[in-house]
Amino acid sequence: MKIGKIKMHRLFALLGLMATPLSAQDRAGEFDYYVMSLSWSANWCALEGDARNSPQCDPAAEFGWILHGLWPQYERGYPADCATSERPPSRSDTAAMADIMGTSGLAWHQWRKHGVCSGLSSDDYYALSREAYARITRPDVFRALNREVTLPASLIEEAFLEENPTLEADQITITCKSGYIQEARICLTRDLDFRDCGQDVIRDCSMTDAQFDPMR
């Protein structure tokens, strides 16, 4: 049986709609848990910060593990750029976060992309981020390095587990970028207790010779 050109066109249009997932705007406050991302400052500077002349890379700042962000997360995937009625943070608000986030610019970016999805005001989101950062003991051993080293990414995870006895292996993941250790990502409940990471988050870097730079 022959199908007319008009009917074929409609059929292909219908099949196209069926194959295209419907998208919906992520809603502030609707998420399952948080991922707290900690970045080793010297490695970020080597990868990106030096090229940007970031003040975070000034040796006088003495940054180790900084808070990259506190990200609302779904069990699979994450919300971003949610619509919010909350006022944006002021310059003084973002500047006040630079002691743990490296720069006020990062604090602003994290609010605009992730904080708006928390359902919190910017003040409360930054306060929660600071509380989350304080709940994890960051291993001092890495601050004692005085030269570049290469090491297994698993060693970073082991150091965090040793310093945080209630943290379990499925609750932290280590990422790498361009041959460097990049971040330690810790999964937290909405009440900031440790919890298992979702399957799309717990993808440990498997490098055995990842570069790790000493503090500036």
Side-chain angles (χ1 to χ4, degrees):
M1 180 177 65
K2 294 183 179 180
I3 302 176
K5 290 183 179 179
I6 294 178
K7 289 184 177 180
M8 284 293 292
H9 177 76
R10 289 176 178 172
L11 177 60
F12 285 132
L14 177 61
L15 291 174
L17 287 173
M18 292 173 63
T20 303
L22 297 177
S23 61
Q25 174 70 45
D26 292 317
R27 295 183 179 180
E30 294 186 4
F31 62 96
D32 297 307
Y33 68 104
Y34 287 109
V35 171
M36 177 173 59
S37 177
L38 303 178
S39 172
W40 182 251
S41 183
N43 289 358
W44 178 81
C45 290
L47 289 168
E48 300 179 42
D50 289 339
R52 300 180 187 180
N53 293 317
S54 172
Q56 179 181 322
C57 303
D58 185 337
E62 297 187 338
F63 285 119
W65 292 103
I66 66 151
L67 177 66
H68 180 178
L70 183 67
W71 305 333
Q73 194 85 13
Y74 300 134
E75 292 298 341
R76 188 170 187 84
Y78 61 89
D81 305 311
C82 301
T84 179
S85 60
E86 299 290 344
R87 68 166 182 82
S90 66
R91 289 188 178 183
S92 61
D93 291 336
T94 56
M97 293 299 292
D99 64 320
I100 63 171
M101 298 189 78
T103 64
S104 61
L106 176 59
W108 168 258
H109 173 74
Q110 290 301 309
W111 162 255
R112 288 304 310 155
K113 183 174 182 178
H114 300 286
V116 291
C117 294
S118 68
L120 302 173
S121 67
S122 59
D123 287 344
D124 288 344
Y125 174 70
Y126 286 149
L128 190 71
S129 297
R130 190 174 289 279
E131 182 181 350
Y133 184 73
R135 288 201 179 193
I136 190 81
T137 300
R138 298 167 296 282
D140 282 336
V141 62
F142 301 116
R143 298 179 69 90
L145 290 174
N146 56 17
R147 61 181 177 84
E148 298 175 3
V149 296
T150 57
L151 42 70
S154 59
L155 189 64
I156 307 297
E157 180 173 307
E158 290 170 7
F160 272 91
L161 293 174
E162 184 173 343
E163 292 295 329
N164 298 272
T166 60
L167 181 65
E168 299 179 2
D170 287 342
Q171 299 169 344
I172 179 173
T173 187
I174 306 301
T175 68
C176 297
K177 182 178 181 180
S178 301
Y180 282 82
I181 295 293
Q182 182 190 27
E183 294 177 347
R185 297 178 179 176
I186 297 99
C187 297
L188 304 166
T189 68
R190 293 176 67 131
D191 293 326
L192 301 186
D193 295 321
F194 297 135
R195 59 147 282 171
D196 289 355
C197 299
Q199 289 302 307
D200 58 334
V201 172
I202 192 161
R203 299 174 182 172
D204 284 322
C205 172
S206 59
M207 290 187 66
T208 58
D209 59 348
Q211 185 164 331
F212 199 95
D213 284 359
M215 286 180 56
R216 296 297 178 96

